[in-house]
Amino acid sequence: MTNESSGDELGVTVRELASGQKVFGRYTLKKILGRGGMGIVWLARDEELEREVALKFLPDVIALDKAFMSELKRETRRSLELTHKNIVRIHDFVHDQSAAGISMEYVDGDTLSNLRAEKEQKVFQPDEISGWTGQLCDALDYAHDHARIIHRDLKPANLMVNQRGDLKVTDFGIARSLGDSMSKLTGENGGTSGTLVYMSPQQLDGERGSHLDDVYSLGATVYDLLTGKPPFYSGNIDRQMHERVAPSMTERRKEFNVEPALVPPVWEATVAACLAKDPAKRPQSAGEVAQRLGLSGPTAGITTTRSLQISRRPLLIASGIAALLLLISGGWYFSHRGQAPVSENKEAPAEQATAASKSVAVLPFENLSTEKENAVFASGVQNEILTDLAKVADLKVISRTSVMQYAAGAARNLKDIARELGVAYVVEGSVQRAGERVRVSAQLIDARTDAHVWAETYDRQLADVFAIQSEIAQKITTQLGAKLSPQERTAMASRPTQNIKAFEDYTRAFALLDTLEHDPTYKENQNKAIGLLEQAVAKDPKFALAYSALAVTKLDGRGTEDKAEAKAALQEAQRLAPEAGETIYAQAFYEYVVDRDYDRALATLEVAARALPNAAQIYWLRGLVERRLGRWDECLRHLKRAIELNPKDGFNHRAALDTAWLLRRYGEARRIADAAIAALPAQADIFRERKGGVYAHEGDLVAARRQLDILGRRDIQGGSPFLAFVVPLYERNYRAAAEVAESLPDNDRWGGRASFLAWLASGGHTLSKSQRDTLEKALTRNTEKLAKQPDAFGELSWGGILNAALGNKTEAIRMAKRAVEEGPVSEDAYLGGLHLENLAKVYAATGEKDLALEVLSTCVKKPGWATAYGSLKFSPDWDILRDDPRFDDLLAQAAKPVE
């Protein structure tokens, strides 16, 4: 393994290790079991002892540092003392000059987290987990009393069940040791190892570990297994853990419609005791927990639910030890991000503010400088104050994109602005720069009463501008009665750069990126923004925020052609400021766009959200990631949160609308469209067009036509031509639909000429020679792209559609099937579903009725566009199937919302 930067440990391991390779002189690698940001776990054969093991490779940043290797080796080998039958055994700590790893017991099974997810109601019943709970308590008692080792990351994902039905506790000592080592390497002190939603309040505060932390996590784990969620799982979790009592498990089960809802009183009382805020009020050992539950210790481990293991799919069984890697998705971030409890702000006003009143929008500051070019400097000051406030979890802060639409200097009705943005307070201000002096004025206004709550003017040296911004943000936080943690206070005080010129370039870049996506200048402005960010980091090579912005901008909507440059920028941000929320967000964006590692991206975003609790883009991206993972309800919830924090951003509205549309929640989709029309007048036609599309797929062609008649053809210029094309197509007015298609650019994107001509052809419409030429050219481009990347499933799916439209049956079916194989629904619920729909369309277009109906029977049960009720009812794609009784059943299924 080579010595590369810590941001790419996984890439190093993947490139230089292969199945069949022998490492450390004794282990033959067989296959990868799991992967993550802190290494890879391989299934390996220990040739000396002739047994299979799980071999965990450590990141280069640890493996190549002798001091930390020595410490980690010493700490990890303490786990060798754990020889309990319900604890995964650590066999050895192995290393050579270039790599290091941990050899451990291979468990052929799956985690309680995954087993719970496969239950019909997504929860266990108490009698189903009583045996495993007894085994867990016995294992914890043994570790605490015999080896004096605390787990510190107990959760369902670290509890495995093998093929014999026995529980195995994973990661004893490993998560903490790795997390602590990485914390030291990144320069953080007092960090916390573990996973937030299962931590005790004391562990969250970074206090010295105690076995009572594990007792708390034991309670949180049982709570999760019986209800489907940990005690606190959304919102400001760390504050809730300190201040609130979790609802009873019966209440939570009622909330989630779990039957039977009632949890036996002894389980309720015991779990509630484990979750006590005061450690002294918890059961004082895991053995006491078992006693309270009436479990009999070691013999209680024989579970009566062995069928759970027998029914597991082979793929999931083979992935058994991958649960060990869940420390990767949370451990290193939680260790080096270490959160302290949210503390009371001693400067807060006597009157406590309500949650609704702790909401604020920082409006653009007015430039009072003689030189008008200093307007960008005023914008930068306003943006930094907004950014500082957005780091406070106890506030609701509206994002930059939404507030920038209220220009400074113009007459502003603050009450109307506050109502539109959903806040109680607004901040106004001005900036005057003259030479090396700067004057910043700011005022906090209660928009409900137009009362000036606080105002101050700062007249200082230009070099003090960042201190001014921080001071203003802290004063506003105090006035709003918001609680400020030590970490949030430190984050506010940090300077983004020492170079004012670099700061101005950074600010100009953000101003360019405020351009609306559908604006013709968007791509041009994006390229200019990249240039400005590159100038910023050239002027200040330590400008971490500019590097993270550069990484995201080089990937945003640009495919992956800039991925090498984006990765280089990301690695610089990680080197300079690994703990910054912006850096962590950039990493998640890279994992989503380039790696397509959605589980890892989601875990990274959870960490980013803790650092930037008001960053709408985190919730937007989290929604997109969850959509790929098939977590549709969570996706829609986070997209709505993004809208709440950034109500003037069309990206958020469109993603939420499209998700509701896919789920056939048409009423909800139309309500989102109406809200977007009201919030975004400049984009109103785009959302009216989408609203018409919802009507069409719902099966209401009259309403869809009415929407189109209101729009005319304006939507083709400003947004998608979908409605202008699909309404005449569904009405079987092929000439009108073809006219729309012919008016579009000749490109390979959805909404281009070729996509709609292919749709016409697959529905049986005869194309003209020029129209066939368009599809032939598109197919040539498709072939060239696949020659460079044969497994590009998007291109394979598109190639299948093109070949079907051109009458190339064999090739069409081959490519459409391969697209489904390369990009299955199991790996990408969003695009995988579209590829499956395309396969059904190809089968129908090529006369394979039975195969088309078979695929459609799967598709109608999943979110999708082509299998919406209106599409099945009206699209000529499916005409060949309409005389088959099975098609009527599919229509009935498509009329229902997706479950």
Side-chain angles (χ1 to χ4, degrees):
M1 298 172 69
T2 59
N3 184 13
E4 296 192 7
S5 67
S6 62
D8 197 29
E9 300 90 11
L10 179 55
V12 174
T13 308
V14 168
R15 285 196 300 272
E16 300 206 10
L17 296 177
S19 179
Q21 181 177 347
K22 194 169 185 179
V23 295
F24 305 120
R26 63 185 287 184
Y27 300 98
T28 301
L29 301 181
K30 300 182 71 173
K31 63 180 178 181
I32 293 176
L33 295 172
R35 63 187 71 202
M38 286 174 60
I40 285 186
V41 173
W42 282 79
L43 174 62
R45 171 81 174 171
D46 185 339
E47 303 296 350
E48 289 186 14
L49 297 179
E50 298 183 346
R51 63 182 176 186
E52 289 186 334
V53 299
L55 188 59
K56 179 181 184 63
F57 286 87
L58 303 182
D60 290 350
V61 70
I62 289 179
L64 299 178
D65 189 300
K66 293 182 179 179
F68 287 111
M69 274 284 291
S70 177
E71 181 179 347
L72 182 60
K73 181 178 180 180
R74 182 175 59 255
E75 288 295 319
T76 306
R77 282 191 166 169
R78 289 188 63 213
S79 299
L80 294 174
E81 301 172 28
L82 295 173
T83 57
H84 193 278
K85 67 183 181 65
N86 295 118
I87 296 176
V88 170
R89 289 288 309 275
I90 303 299
H91 296 317
D92 202 3
F93 188 100
V94 292
H95 63 93
D96 55 26
Q97 292 182 345
S98 60
I102 300 171
S103 169
M104 62 189 81
E105 175 186 0
Y106 169 62
V107 179
D108 185 13
D110 211 341
T111 66
L112 283 184
S113 178
N114 287 340
L115 291 172
R116 177 181 60 75
E118 288 202 343
K119 298 281 290 180
E120 183 177 351
Q121 296 189 89
K122 309 300 182 186
V123 299
F124 287 107
Q125 302 302 330
D127 61 333
E128 292 179 309
I129 66 166
S130 61
W132 294 326
T133 305
Q135 290 180 329
L136 174 57
C137 290
D138 191 49
L140 289 174
D141 248 3
Y142 169 86
H144 296 162
D145 291 340
H146 175 77
R148 303 295 179 183
I149 293 178
I150 307 167
H151 193 288
R152 299 277 282 178
D153 196 20
L154 201 63
K155 56 188 174 183
N158 278 341
L159 303 175
M160 300 190 69
V161 178
N162 64 20
Q163 288 296 291
R164 295 185 301 276
D166 295 324
L167 186 84
K168 290 281 189 176
V169 185
T170 72
D171 282 355
F172 246 116
I174 300 177
R176 188 185 66 170
S177 298
L178 276 177
D180 290 348
S181 296
M182 192 64 82
S183 177
K184 294 172 185 176
L185 281 166
T186 55
E188 289 283 336
N189 294 317
T192 59
S193 304
T195 304
L196 174 65
V197 292
Y198 304 96
M199 288 183 184
S200 71
Q202 293 71 35
Q203 187 177 351
L204 182 63
D205 294 352
E207 295 181 11
R208 183 174 180 178
S210 158
H211 72 286
L212 296 177
D213 296 326
D214 281 354
V215 171
Y216 181 99
S217 298
L218 169 60
T221 295
V222 173
Y223 191 107
D224 184 324
L225 294 173
L226 295 181
T227 70
K229 294 286 185 183
F232 307 105
Y233 65 95
S234 65
N236 190 337
I237 295 173
D238 46 1
R239 182 180 177 188
Q240 294 175 50
M241 289 171 64
H242 282 88
E243 299 178 0
R244 296 186 185 176
V245 175
S248 70
M249 292 184 288
T250 297
E251 291 172 356
R252 179 64 58 80
R253 286 163 68 100
K254 287 179 179 178
E255 178 185 343
F256 292 161
N257 298 315
V258 175
E259 296 293 340
L262 182 66
V263 174
V266 66
W267 285 79
E268 288 279 18
T270 303
V271 170
C274 291
L275 298 176
K277 311 297 183 188
D278 183 355
K281 295 181 180 179
R282 296 173 200 155
Q284 295 301 291
S285 70
E288 184 181 339
V289 174
Q291 290 173 0
R292 291 193 186 193
L293 291 174
L295 306 177
S296 55
T299 58
I302 307 303
T303 178
T304 61
T305 56
R306 297 174 68 91
S307 60
L308 285 170
Q309 293 80 51
I310 296 171
S311 65
R312 297 291 292 159
R313 296 186 298 277
L315 177 61
L316 289 177
I317 292 173
S319 68
I321 203 69
L324 288 170
L325 286 175
L326 288 184
L327 70 95
I328 292 164
S329 64
W332 115 268
Y333 280 124
F334 282 110
S335 66
H336 88 262
R337 280 291 306 154
Q339 294 283 327
V342 179
S343 60
E344 292 289 334
N345 190 327
K346 296 179 180 179
E347 301 174 348
E351 183 181 353
Q352 279 294 323
T354 65
S357 69
K358 291 185 282 189
S359 55
V360 62
V362 183
L363 303 183
F365 278 27
E366 186 175 4
N367 174 39
L368 300 180
S369 306
T370 305
E371 300 82 5
K372 294 304 176 185
E373 59 269 20
N374 281 331
V376 69
F377 184 75
S379 176
V381 172
Q382 172 244 356
N383 188 54
E384 285 304 301
I385 294 171
L386 187 159
T387 300
D388 282 345
L389 289 172
K391 295 172 182 175
V392 181
D394 202 30
L395 291 177
K396 173 188 172 182
V397 183
I398 301 301
S399 296
R400 172 188 167 87
T401 306
S402 291
V403 299
M404 292 307 291
Q405 300 184 31
Y406 301 99
R412 298 192 288 207
N413 186 317
L414 299 185
K415 189 172 185 178
D416 286 347
I417 291 173
R419 176 180 49 79
E420 291 173 10
L421 297 178
V423 296
Y425 292 85
V426 295
V427 176
E428 289 190 307
S430 63
V431 178
Q432 185 173 8
R433 177 179 172 183
E436 294 303 310
R437 300 289 299 181
V438 62
R439 173 176 291 176
V440 179
S441 297
Q443 53 186 343
L444 178 67
I445 302 165
D446 187 335
R448 298 164 297 185
T449 61
D450 202 30
H452 285 57
V453 178
W454 165 87
E456 196 157 338
T457 297
Y458 302 82
D459 193 345
R460 297 184 187 172
Q461 291 291 322
L462 181 62
D464 292 335
V465 67
F466 297 117
I468 295 172
Q469 293 161 182
S470 174
E471 190 171 334
I472 290 173
Q474 293 197 44
K475 288 290 181 66
I476 292 170
T477 302
T478 298
Q479 292 298 322
L480 294 179
K483 297 177 180 179
L484 194 63
S485 73
Q487 285 74 22
E488 290 166 347
R489 193 180 298 276
T490 299
M492 276 189 179
S494 64
R495 298 169 64 98
T497 176
Q498 303 291 333
N499 189 308
I500 296 296
K501 294 293 184 182
F503 176 67
E504 290 175 343
D505 287 337
Y506 176 76
T507 303
R508 287 190 180 93
F510 270 85
L512 287 167
L513 293 173
D514 286 335
T515 307
L516 298 176
E517 179 198 14
H518 66 275
D519 192 302
T521 65
Y522 179 76
K523 284 295 181 185
E524 178 185 351
N525 286 347
Q526 189 181 42
N527 289 331
K528 289 179 180 178
I530 288 174
L532 286 166
L533 291 169
E534 288 173 338
Q535 288 178 201
V537 297
K539 291 170 182 174
D540 181 4
K542 295 182 179 180
F543 197 170
L545 293 184
Y547 278 116
S548 59
L550 184 59
V552 171
T553 309
K554 279 184 172 289
L555 294 174
D556 189 11
R558 301 165 67 86
T560 58
E561 64 265 30
D562 290 346
K563 64 180 181 181
E565 294 89 342
K567 185 59 178 284
L570 172 60
Q571 288 177 329
E572 278 302 297
Q574 290 172 321
R575 183 179 67 82
L576 293 165
E579 78 290 349
E582 293 85 353
T583 300
I584 301 169
Y585 172 76
Q587 176 179 331
F589 198 85
Y590 189 92
E591 291 164 347
Y592 174 74
V593 174
V594 179
D595 296 337
R596 293 200 293 267
D597 188 339
Y598 305 126
D599 287 311
R600 186 176 176 189
L602 187 60
T604 305
L605 285 168
E606 289 176 355
V607 182
R610 295 181 64 196
L612 299 173
N614 286 284
Q617 71 269 25
I618 289 177
Y619 297 99
W620 166 77
L621 183 57
R622 183 164 183 173
L624 300 190
V625 172
E626 286 164 334
R627 192 162 68 179
R628 299 297 184 103
L629 291 169
R631 301 176 184 179
W632 298 94
D633 289 332
E634 293 92 334
C635 162
L636 201 50
R637 177 166 58 85
H638 284 115
L639 291 174
K640 288 179 178 178
R641 175 61 174 163
I643 293 173
E644 182 184 352
L645 293 172
N646 203 358
K648 300 288 185 177
D649 189 332
F651 284 102
N652 300 328
H653 290 277
R654 285 196 292 279
L657 190 158
D658 289 349
T659 300
W661 184 349
L662 276 168
L663 293 169
R664 303 180 203 145
R665 299 177 187 175
Y666 300 118
E668 186 172 7
R670 289 195 300 274
R671 287 191 294 273
I672 295 170
D674 289 337
I677 291 167
L680 300 160
Q683 300 182 54
D685 281 354
I686 294 175
F687 285 98
R688 291 190 183 101
E689 187 274 338
R690 267 179 158 77
K691 183 178 178 181
V694 172
Y695 280 125
H697 274 183
E698 189 176 6
D700 191 344
L701 270 189
V702 174
R705 164 56 70 180
R706 185 166 56 245
Q707 201 74 19
L708 179 59
D709 290 341
I710 293 171
L711 285 166
R713 294 288 291 275
R714 299 194 306 273
D715 57 319
I716 295 177
Q717 303 301 320
S720 165
F722 172 79
L723 187 63
F725 174 83
V726 81
V727 170
L729 178 71
Y730 284 5
E731 293 172 341
R732 304 310 172 95
N733 186 346
Y734 294 113
R735 176 177 294 181
E739 287 177 0
V740 174
E742 291 287 0
S743 70
L744 300 172
D746 183 13
N747 58 43
D748 300 328
R749 298 182 61 188
W750 164 248
R753 186 188 310 167
S755 65
F756 286 128
L757 289 178
W759 194 349
L760 274 170
S762 65
H765 177 67
T766 302
L767 300 180
S768 68
K769 183 180 183 304
S770 64
Q771 290 170 338
R772 284 187 63 84
D773 287 345
T774 296
L775 295 186
E776 293 282 5
K777 290 176 183 177
L779 185 58
T780 298
R781 294 191 294 266
N782 173 258
T783 302
E784 292 170 350
K785 292 175 182 177
L786 284 170
K788 297 177 181 177
Q789 192 175 357
D791 60 349
F793 45 80
E795 290 297 333
L796 286 166
S797 191
W798 173 227
I801 292 292
L802 287 171
N803 275 294
L806 290 167
N808 306 326
K809 176 177 178 177
T810 302
E811 187 64 5
I813 292 174
R814 184 192 71 81
M815 295 183 76
K817 286 178 66 177
R818 182 138 177 259
V820 172
E821 292 166 357
E822 294 290 341
V825 176
S826 60
E827 294 181 6
D828 188 333
Y830 177 59
L831 289 182
L834 300 183
H835 300 328
L836 202 61
E837 288 184 337
N838 280 346
L839 177 60
K841 293 175 74 172
V842 166
Y843 279 140
T846 55
E848 295 290 345
K849 295 183 182 181
D850 289 338
L851 291 173
L853 287 165
E854 181 182 343
V855 175
L856 278 177
S857 67
T858 298
C859 289
V860 294
K861 300 172 185 176
K862 301 179 182 296
W865 277 292
T867 49
Y869 175 77
S871 173
L872 289 182
K873 186 173 180 63
F874 297 117
S875 177
D877 284 333
W878 315 115
D879 284 355
I880 192 174
L881 309 176
R882 297 192 189 283
D883 60 352
D884 193 304
R886 290 173 291 178
F887 190 74
D888 294 333
D889 295 335
L890 296 179
L891 267 176
Q893 179 71 41
K896 305 173 184 177
V898 179
E899 295 181 358

